[in-house]
Amino acid sequence: MESSSCVSETTPEEEMAVIREIIDSSESRVKEGDSFYLITLRQDKLSRYLSSLTSSPLWWQEWLDYVHRGISGVANNASSSCANDCELEDSTISRRPSHIDNSELIYDMACEEEPETSAELHDSLTEGRDYILLPEEVWKQLYIWYGGGPTLSRKVISSGSPETGLCVEIYLLRLLLILMPKGEQAFIRISKQETIGELCKRACDIFDLTADQICIWNYYGHKKQALMNDMDKTLNDANIKMDQEILLELNDDGVACGGCMSSVQDNGSAGKESASLLAEPCKSNVSIAGGLSASKGVTRSCSSEISQSQFLASPMGEIDGSEGTNGVVVRGSTGGLTGLLNLGNTCFMNSAIQCLVHTPEFARYFREDYHQEINWQNPLGMVGELAMAFGELLRKLWSPGRAPVSPRPFKTKLARFAPQFSGYNQHDSQELLAFLLDGLHEDLNRVKFKPYIKSKDADGRPDEEVADEYWANHIARNDSIIVDVCQGQYKSTLVCPVCGKVSITFDPFMYLSLPLPSTKTRSMTLMVFSSDGSALPTPCTVTVAKHGKCKDLIQAVSSACSLKTGEKLLLAEIRSHLIHRFLDDPLVSLSTIKDDDHLAAYKLPKFEKNTTFLQLIHRRQDVEPNNAHSKMVWKPYGTPLVAPILQDVNTRGDIQKIVRVMLAPMRRAERSEPSEPEKAKVAAEQVSEGLDARDDCSDCPMGKEQNGQEEASSIKLPLQLVDENNVCIDLSIGEDKPIRLSTSSSSILVFIDWSEKDLEKYDTHYLDNLPEVFKYGNVNKKSRTEPRAESLSLYTCLEAFLREEPLVPEDMWLCKERRQASKKLDLWRLPEVLVIHLKRFSYSRSVKHKLENFVNFPIHDLDLTNYVANKNSGRRQLYELYALSNHYGGMGSGHYTAHIKILEENRWYNFDDSHISTITEEEVKSAAAYVFFYRRVKGEAGSTSNGSVSPAEQEKLSCKK
């Protein structure tokens, strides 16, 4: 709310006294639900000076300068006359502030009529640097004196943690509501302490629905994680995260599915003030929920994908070992399938811990009596405290049948010895791993007194001799389970460019940090559909600029498919067999399209800007999951078809005609035409293999006989039209009955419910195999026949790491004088567990960004034999992946998860904080891969357990072998 400054008779001393009294009295009685107000704050003198030269000063600092005169006078016990003189003298320096100005804390408001409480805060605001929080009474008093605004009010909530108690919720949860199958979307903001019932109620208000019409799902990661039917549970307790999606699923025929029941109207939370949630339009910037601390947000555009890369964990309370926390199912007796609670931006730590505790050698070691190896006297260690905290956490995670575990005791120890990891800011999982491995090594170092050993020059001795000497010297000072498992050795060769002097050393390493060579293009595959019934769906693969726009993709596909003059391409992203969004903005960046997305390109006649489209959604009957009575329901499948409505549609028969044309290519041929099945077989192989169809995308006549066309035109298709009131109208009867299409929507939704009888007439398998934009995995024959797009593999990154290159000027070699020598690294000795880190985060002057390249990596048989310089090792260097730390999102934000293979089950799992779910081996590969854990492949006598087999059983197995 804006207001002109109010004339006040109070002096600066009186104002400070009043404010100080209010603050002192309010601090002792802060309770949940109280309001605090933000006022902009800058601390540096330069900014304060510069701002005083402008017409919009930094208000809070100006007010402090104003009242400071009176405080100084009182503190010095000056006489009133002297104080008056000082006041006159200082009046030119510190004048009375004008109205309050908080405009620096928010983005520009859409319009003046927008409520000020809904203003969008800048992301990454930090208390004490960008703003201060004032109690409600203080704000009201200042507003009475000065007026201004905008008013930025935030509520006090319970943080859920006994250690932190109450906190001010600076950033509300920002959620994307997706109404299916209509595909409508809306962003809302809501407090994480609101209930699911309140979320359901307000979602119904936004989409003009009733509670019994929808089911509401936790749609984290674009998967139905849990049905949100406990109306009294808070969003915090339901583990709802910032920027995630919530799926609102319309019930068929208005039948409730156990989601949002009508009782939500009576929910106690329904009466809470609506200021904590607001529906809002898409904006280019969003801010992230803070709780105790604010996290950096993720920039988005209206058409950009809300993807898994942008999910952030919000602070939440937890009880160590409590049963049923966050609805995670208690696992069986295998062990190792226990999640870690997110304490507030601790996903980086959870990801790293899960990878380490599932390292077989560590799992066995820390479940035995390792205390005898703790080095209590090592000045470089943590007096054994870090090792004991990690060991205790590992044992909890391997205990069968446990609910998610709180890592708070471990984090407390970690922060004590590594203050950089204190608090609740996001950090790098690789940096944590580096510190943790080194800290565990020092705590468990078997060498109590490290001898001083001076390294000798090679002096022409064989590399094998020098390398063994270096390694023996290293082991003499460093001997622990960490060295046994994770440390290797590389050869470093320096050559002086002037005198040719060569220096060879052999140094240990804990992990390999590999660079990512830059790429400029990407390969994208999508399926091309024809709306006029002239051709079957055909896959098309093109190469485009990596940082290009949608218009570049459209142009490339148009050229590859020989698009006609009167045609136009409409791109759409398909999810769960429905159209998630149209990519109709030519300026949308291709970076918003992920490699595992599914795209469809529709060849349409050129249309006007406000053309209405018909979306044909295919459905078939299937058994409803989680239903004991095996109820059959209609479920979407295949790929939707799209056609523009370029003429008046007045009757149900008009819709039938449009759909019959769209389905014409899939009309099964008569038995008298043996050539058609052969054509269908070839086309099906193309679709399933994802062949590049640059030469086959052009229109192809179907060669239907005239009598076949007449028969097809008389078929009554089982169509259901969704009208403005979300009611399905049966279009298979009453062909001449008039219909009224929605005028407020750019698309009309039509379901076609395929029965077995109808599928005998149409072959819809062409719609089943929608390819991913870029398929990871083995090279197929497509890659050998088309122009090769730039791609990366783990081997490519390793070769870049081992390539000879000159030293940077900051690291020049001292050879008589400082010279820019060339440096060459070679692998010499590889460890049992090889940790590989990809340098995804790039720093260029003041600019930081993340490299999103997909790096193709082997899950089985990583063969490093040819990269090892020591040719006398006598064995192949084969490794198998068993753990992987992933990072989704951008620099300074995003979310970490871990992919872990439970070796006893030969099955992969996704560890996402407290959420654990099975994944396929194909899903392990993604552009989010960040830190790899490879284990040496052993013979038949080797162990194949992460650690769930007890040490005694391991000993018995070893004896038998």
Side-chain angles (χ1 to χ4, degrees):
M1 51 187 167
E2 293 284 349
S3 172
S4 60
S5 156
C6 301
V7 177
S8 173
E9 301 297 331
T10 57
T11 65
E13 297 87 344
E14 291 171 340
E15 288 190 13
M16 175 56 84
V18 170
I19 296 302
R20 189 184 298 278
E21 181 179 358
I22 296 175
I23 291 177
D24 291 342
S25 62
S26 62
E27 282 183 346
S28 60
R29 50 187 174 84
V30 175
K31 63 183 183 300
E32 189 173 355
D34 286 352
S35 293
F36 276 71
Y37 291 75
L38 281 76
I39 285 189
T40 187
L41 173 67
R42 297 288 175 86
Q43 293 179 317
D44 58 288
K45 295 181 179 179
L46 177 60
S47 296
R48 187 164 67 248
Y49 172 73
L50 293 176
S51 66
S52 67
L53 302 179
T54 68
S55 60
S56 179
L58 300 170
W59 191 89
W60 177 253
Q61 189 61 53
E62 188 180 13
W63 183 79
L64 289 178
D65 292 341
Y66 171 64
V67 300
H68 179 70
R69 301 174 321 205
I71 298 173
S72 299
V74 172
N76 295 326
N77 294 318
S79 65
S80 60
S81 60
C82 180
N84 291 334
D85 292 340
C86 291
E87 180 175 345
L88 292 173
E89 183 180 349
D90 292 345
S91 62
T92 58
I93 300 175
S94 299
R95 58 183 179 275
R96 177 180 174 80
S98 59
H99 63 274
I100 299 170
D101 184 6
N102 277 334
S103 58
E104 293 184 69
L105 297 179
I106 63 172
Y107 294 107
D108 294 336
M109 300 170 83
C111 61
E112 295 181 359
E113 299 178 358
E114 185 177 359
E116 290 159 342
T117 52
S118 67
E120 182 79 3
L121 290 177
H122 282 288
D123 58 325
S124 300
L125 295 180
T126 302
E127 184 180 2
R129 184 192 70 187
D130 302 303
Y131 65 88
I132 61 167
L133 291 170
L134 298 178
E136 183 173 10
E137 293 81 1
V138 175
W139 167 262
K140 287 182 177 179
Q141 188 60 61
L142 291 174
Y143 187 79
I144 290 173
W145 289 334
Y146 295 97
T151 300
L152 304 174
S153 173
R154 293 297 184 265
K155 293 289 185 183
V156 174
I157 64 171
S158 172
S159 67
S161 168
E163 298 177 6
T164 54
L166 301 177
C167 65
V168 179
E169 187 176 25
I170 301 300
Y171 294 99
L172 303 176
L173 286 177
R174 176 182 168 101
L175 305 175
L176 176 63
L177 300 181
I178 303 177
L179 180 64
M180 286 298 182
K182 298 188 69 176
E184 297 179 12
Q185 300 181 2
F187 282 109
I188 64 168
R189 282 198 178 275
I190 184 171
S191 169
K192 58 190 171 188
Q193 292 300 330
E194 289 285 12
T195 63
I196 293 174
E198 184 69 6
L199 173 63
C200 181
K201 175 181 178 296
R202 297 178 188 182
C204 290
D205 291 341
I206 293 172
F207 293 110
D208 195 21
L209 300 168
T210 59
D212 57 358
Q213 284 184 289
I214 60 171
C215 297
I216 185 167
W217 291 85
N218 181 341
Y219 202 47
Y220 180 68
H222 311 309
K223 295 180 181 179
K224 291 182 179 180
Q225 302 289 348
L227 184 63
M228 300 167 63
N229 55 2
D230 185 348
M231 296 296 122
D232 295 323
K233 179 181 282 189
T234 66
L235 299 179
N236 189 38
D237 292 337
N239 203 25
I240 301 302
K241 302 179 186 296
M242 172 61 73
D243 281 335
Q244 80 165 70
E245 297 173 329
I246 300 294
L247 178 65
L248 306 174
E249 197 170 49
L250 285 171
N251 305 320
D252 291 336
D253 303 322
V255 178
C257 64
C260 298
M261 307 303 291
S262 58
S263 61
V264 71
Q265 304 298 336
D266 301 323
N267 190 292
S269 65
K272 294 185 179 180
E273 59 183 308
S274 59
S276 61
L277 178 147
L278 53 114
E280 54 184 281
C282 295
K283 297 182 180 181
S284 62
N285 296 282
V286 300
S287 37
I288 302 302
L292 295 175
S293 60
S295 302
K296 184 173 174 64
V298 183
T299 302
R300 282 210 185 86
S301 66
C302 293
S303 58
S304 67
E305 179 191 9
I306 312 298
S307 69
Q308 192 174 12
S309 64
Q310 294 153 330
F311 297 139
L312 295 181
S314 58
M316 65 183 206
E318 73 288 338
I319 302 174
D320 187 14
S322 61
E323 296 296 323
T325 306
N326 298 323
V328 177
V329 179
V330 176
R331 303 289 174 173
S333 59
T334 301
L337 290 175
T338 303
L340 286 165
L341 293 175
N342 193 311
L343 308 178
N345 284 329
T346 56
C347 55
F348 76 97
M349 181 178 73
N350 293 348
S351 173
I353 289 174
Q354 292 289 9
C355 291
L356 286 181
V357 301
H358 286 88
T359 298
E361 292 79 1
F362 294 157
R364 288 193 291 272
Y365 178 85
F366 283 98
R367 291 169 70 196
E368 297 174 345
D369 185 12
Y370 61 91
H371 293 80
Q372 59 185 350
E373 292 201 339
I374 291 179
N375 192 330
W376 307 100
Q377 302 163 344
N378 188 353
L380 300 178
M382 290 78 175
V383 203
E385 292 188 34
L386 184 65
M388 289 189 292
F390 178 78
E392 181 62 25
L393 181 58
L394 181 145
R395 293 188 180 201
K396 289 180 180 180
L397 292 174
W398 275 104
S399 297
R402 291 187 60 87
V405 171
S406 167
R408 188 176 299 281
F410 172 79
K411 185 179 185 301
T412 302
K413 294 291 184 184
L414 179 70
R416 178 180 172 187
F417 297 105
Q420 67 268 30
F421 297 116
S422 61
Y424 296 92
N425 292 325
Q426 184 70 279
H427 293 280
D428 189 337
S429 67
Q430 186 273 333
E431 290 180 1
L432 175 72
L433 277 169
F435 171 82
L436 186 53
L437 288 172
D438 186 64
L440 290 174
H441 159 66
E442 296 296 352
D443 266 3
L444 299 170
N445 195 347
R446 304 177 186 112
V447 179
K448 309 304 179 186
F449 303 99
K450 297 185 177 182
Y452 173 75
I453 303 174
K454 185 177 181 180
S455 299
K456 299 178 182 179
D457 293 333
D459 290 333
R461 292 181 293 164
D463 283 348
E464 291 78 9
E465 179 183 338
V466 178
D468 289 344
E469 181 180 280
Y470 269 85
W471 187 252
N473 293 344
H474 175 67
I475 296 299
R477 295 173 53 85
N478 302 276
D479 183 15
S480 69
I481 181 65
I482 306 300
V483 176
D484 296 343
V485 175
C486 292
Q487 285 199 352
Q489 187 182 34
Y490 59 76
K491 174 185 176 182
S492 175
T493 304
L494 289 175
V495 179
C496 178
V498 178
C499 65
K501 179 181 177 181
V502 177
S503 172
I504 298 177
T505 58
F506 293 85
D507 303 309
F509 66 85
M510 191 84 76
Y511 51 85
L512 299 178
S513 288
L514 307 185
L516 272 68
S518 61
T519 58
K520 298 180 180 180
T521 61
R522 66 183 293 196
S523 178
M524 303 184 72
T525 300
L526 64 172
M527 190 72 78
V528 180
F529 296 86
S530 176
S531 67
D532 61 1
S534 60
L536 286 169
T538 315
C540 184
T541 300
V542 294
T543 298
V544 293
K546 183 178 179 181
H547 300 291
K549 307 292 184 182
C550 270
K551 63 180 181 181
D552 302 318
L553 177 60
I554 293 174
Q555 182 177 358
V557 177
S558 301
S559 175
C561 293
S562 303
L563 200 68
K564 296 179 181 177
T565 305
E567 291 181 329
K568 185 175 182 179
L569 278 183
L570 179 63
L571 302 186
E573 181 185 343
I574 310 299
R575 289 190 194 170
S576 302
H577 312 291
L578 301 171
I579 293 179
H580 177 68
R581 58 166 173 160
F582 285 109
L583 299 169
D584 49 0
D585 184 350
L587 299 181
V588 169
S589 173
L590 293 181
S591 63
T592 65
I593 303 174
K594 307 303 180 186
D595 285 342
D596 56 353
D597 287 343
H598 300 268
L599 297 186
Y602 300 99
K603 295 170 65 174
L604 309 173
K606 285 190 175 179
F607 50 84
E608 300 297 329
K609 184 176 182 181
N610 297 323
T611 300
T612 300
F613 296 98
L614 184 151
Q615 293 185 33
L616 182 64
I617 310 298
H618 307 271
R619 300 196 303 185
R620 59 187 171 196
Q621 283 194 315
D622 197 359
V623 177
E624 184 178 14
N626 303 323
N627 190 315
H629 303 289
S630 300
K631 178 183 176 183
M632 300 295 289
V633 295
W634 289 102
K635 288 187 174 182
Y637 82 100
T639 307
L641 299 178
V642 174
I645 299 179
L646 302 177
Q647 56 186 5
D648 292 337
V649 175
N650 301 313
T651 66
R652 299 180 181 183
D654 294 337
I655 299 291
Q656 287 275 351
K657 291 178 183 177
I658 295 175
V659 174
R660 280 196 292 266
V661 172
M662 297 167 69
L663 297 176
M666 289 173 284
R667 171 76 174 160
R668 292 187 185 273
E670 299 295 330
R671 294 175 182 263
S672 58
E673 300 180 20
S675 60
E676 277 302 315
E678 295 296 326
K679 294 180 181 178
K681 182 178 180 181
V682 172
E685 290 176 352
Q686 280 187 325
V687 173
S688 61
E689 295 179 4
L691 297 181
D692 186 0
R694 292 195 177 105
D695 299 329
D696 303 318
C697 279
S698 59
D699 297 342
C700 55
M702 298 305 296
K704 298 286 186 183
E705 295 292 338
Q706 184 64 33
N707 57 357
Q709 294 177 351
E710 293 174 357
E711 182 182 353
S713 64
S714 64
I715 294 177
K716 296 296 184 292
L717 297 170
L719 304 180
Q720 301 277 341
L721 171 67
V722 180
D723 68 3
E724 293 178 321
N725 300 317
N726 295 323
V727 176
C728 289
I729 301 173
D730 189 353
L731 302 182
S732 62
I733 57 176
E735 185 173 348
D736 297 327
K737 285 188 176 182
I739 58 172
R740 188 177 66 179
L741 302 181
S742 172
T743 57
S744 61
S745 177
S746 60
S747 297
I748 64 171
L749 206 62
V750 175
F751 294 117
I752 180 166
D753 296 334
W754 291 103
S755 64
E756 293 298 328
K757 183 177 180 181
D758 295 321
L759 291 174
E760 293 177 359
K761 302 174 183 176
Y762 287 90
D763 189 356
T764 63
H765 82 275
Y766 299 104
L767 307 174
D768 289 339
N769 299 300
L770 194 62
E772 293 182 358
V773 169
F774 182 79
K775 182 66 176 177
Y776 314 131
N778 297 328
V779 178
N780 55 26
K781 57 184 177 183
K782 174 185 71 174
S783 304
R784 294 194 294 266
T785 57
E786 67 177 31
R788 183 176 179 269
E790 290 183 89
S791 61
L792 287 178
S793 71
L794 198 59
Y795 294 110
T796 307
C797 299
L798 180 60
E799 289 165 3
F801 173 73
L802 300 176
R803 187 177 300 123
E804 182 176 359
E805 58 185 13
L807 294 175
V808 296
E810 294 81 5
D811 295 329
M812 289 197 297
W813 183 34
L814 183 59
C815 175
K816 296 182 181 180
E817 60 184 40
R818 293 194 174 274
R819 293 168 180 169
Q820 192 173 17
S822 63
K823 183 177 182 179
K824 173 74 169 68
L825 291 178
D826 291 290
L827 300 179
W828 187 266
R829 187 190 310 265
L830 295 180
E832 291 300 305
V833 170
L834 179 62
V835 181
I836 299 177
H837 158 239
L838 296 181
K839 293 183 177 179
R840 288 199 176 276
F841 299 108
S842 173
Y843 303 85
S844 176
R845 295 184 181 178
S846 59
V847 179
K848 305 176 182 179
H849 67 280
K850 179 187 175 187
L851 302 176
E852 298 280 2
N853 308 59
F854 168 71
V855 177
N856 195 10
F857 54 92
I859 295 177
H860 305 284
D861 295 336
L862 172 67
D863 192 350
L864 300 180
T865 307
N866 294 331
Y867 297 95
V868 176
N870 182 11
K871 301 305 179 182
N872 296 329
S873 60
R875 58 175 174 175
R876 293 187 66 189
Q877 306 289 340
L878 291 179
Y879 286 83
E880 180 173 356
L881 186 73
Y882 70 91
L884 173 64
S885 177
N886 302 298
H887 179 268
Y888 301 90
M891 187 77 181
S893 62
H895 185 57
Y896 287 90
T897 67
H899 290 162
I900 307 291
K901 184 178 183 179
I902 302 298
L903 301 178
E904 299 80 19
E905 303 179 13
N906 193 31
R907 181 181 300 172
W908 282 92
Y909 288 88
N910 178 49
F911 285 71
D912 186 356
D913 291 331
S914 57
H915 293 280
I916 300 175
S917 57
T918 58
I919 56 174
T920 65
E921 194 169 275
E922 290 183 351
E923 293 175 301
V924 172
K925 293 189 177 186
S926 75
Y930 184 44
V931 183
F932 305 89
F933 288 74
Y934 280 95
R935 186 165 180 262
R936 188 187 297 277
V937 175
K938 301 181 180 180
E940 296 180 358
S943 170
T944 57
S945 166
N946 293 80
S948 62
V949 179
S950 68
E953 290 172 335
Q954 286 289 338
E955 187 175 353
K956 290 179 182 178
L957 290 173
S958 299
C959 292
K960 290 180 180 179
K961 292 167 184 174

